[in-house]
């Protein structure tokens, strides 16, 4: 068994459409840190789904629903830390406004 610490999602804007951010390809992935910052001048929201392979992002796998971030606020999502994505599982996000929230995710891939 090999464990590799990895930047799962390099810093990027969260789109205002449901978007796959990371897929566990032939590995099991453990989320260690998930950070989002609202860089806009207005309040914005972010929703996060942890989806099993062959499924789509929907209410059955929604982990964080419309987390509101005020202008300039950073949130570290303790509710996502420690979650495991099996091979083929993925992280999907959506924001209320494009280019408002910047995210970054770190974790470990186990193969």
């Amino acid at each position: 068994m090999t464990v590799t610490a990895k930047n799962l999602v390099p810093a990027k804007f969260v789109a205002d459409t449901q978007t796959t951010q990371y897929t566990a390809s032939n590995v099991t992935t453990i989320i260690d840190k998930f950070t989002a910052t609202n860089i806009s001048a207005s309040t914005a929201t972010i929703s996060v789904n942890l989806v099993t392979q062959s499924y789509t992002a929907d209410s059955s796998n929604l982990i964080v629903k419309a987390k509101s971030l005020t202008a300039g606020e950073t949130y570290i999502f303790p509710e996502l830390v420690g979650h495991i994505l099996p091979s083929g599982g993925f992280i999907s996000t959506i924001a209320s406004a494009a280019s408002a929230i910047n995210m970054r995710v770190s974790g470990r891939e186990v193969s």
Side-chain angles (χ1 to χ4, degrees), residues 46-109:
I46 178 175
S47 295
V48 182
N49 296 69
L50 300 181
V51 187
T52 303
Q53 182 179 17
S54 301
Y55 287 86
T56 59
D58 61 26
S59 61
S60 70
N61 47 48
L62 183 64
I63 305 300
V64 176
K65 181 179 180 182
K67 172 63 178 163
S68 183
L69 300 176
T70 59
E73 181 181 2
T74 298
Y75 187 69
I76 58 169
F77 294 93
E79 57 271 69
L80 296 172
V81 173
H83 274 282
I84 297 170
L85 292 171
S87 180
F90 59 96
I91 299 169
S92 184
T93 61
I94 187 170
S96 60
S99 302
I101 296 177
N102 195 8
M103 66 176 283
R104 187 173 193 278
V105 184
S106 299
R108 292 167 281 158
E109 292 183 333

Side-chain angles (χ1 to χ4, degrees), residues 15-28:
D16 60 353
T17 58
Q18 194 74 48
T19 304
T20 298
Q21 301 293 351
Y22 168 83
T23 301
S25 299
N26 299 315
V27 294
T28 298

